[in-house]
Amino acid sequence: QISDPEACDQMYESLVRIHTNFYKNKYPRLKDTTFTGVTLEDCRMILATDILKQMEDMKKGTWKRLREKFSAKKPEEDSK
């Protein structure tokens, strides 16, 4: 048995409002952004594989980047 049926009904109604997006419909957002201010398109761009590769390159240390840059053959050297 439920000791306080009135409190139980209030909690149930609250859960129903959350489930049915009552507050989302009551207070619509002006812009479709996240709490950080990033839009959906920005999130998709960030999650793209090319961007992930660029971010991995940014995480590399300066010396490692320089070593990779100078260890690769330059096309000008091949033509001479």
Side-chain angles (χ1 to χ4, degrees):
Q1 288 187 350
I2 299 171
S3 60
D4 191 4
E6 193 172 309
C8 182
D9 289 342
Q10 286 178 346
M11 284 193 274
Y12 178 77
E13 291 298 322
S14 176
L15 290 172
V16 166
R17 285 192 300 270
I18 292 171
H19 177 71
T20 59
N21 289 327
F22 175 81
Y23 294 106
K24 179 182 177 188
N25 298 328
K26 185 175 180 181
Y27 305 106
R29 299 176 71 161
L30 300 176
K31 295 181 180 178
D32 195 19
T33 59
T34 61
F35 73 98
T36 58
V38 179
T39 62
L40 180 63
E41 291 301 319
D42 292 339
C43 287
R44 286 186 180 148
M45 184 182 75
I46 290 170
L47 294 175
T49 56
D50 294 338
I51 300 297
L52 289 176
K53 288 178 185 176
Q54 288 178 2
M55 297 205 40
E56 287 296 321
D57 287 341
M58 289 172 58
K59 287 182 184 178
K60 290 180 183 177
T62 306
W63 293 111
K64 189 171 185 178
R65 256 186 279 145
L66 286 173
R67 194 177 332 128
E68 287 178 357
K69 183 178 178 180
F70 289 114
S71 68
K73 285 188 175 180
K74 295 182 181 178
E76 301 156 351
E77 293 173 1
D78 293 338
S79 62
K80 292 182 180 178

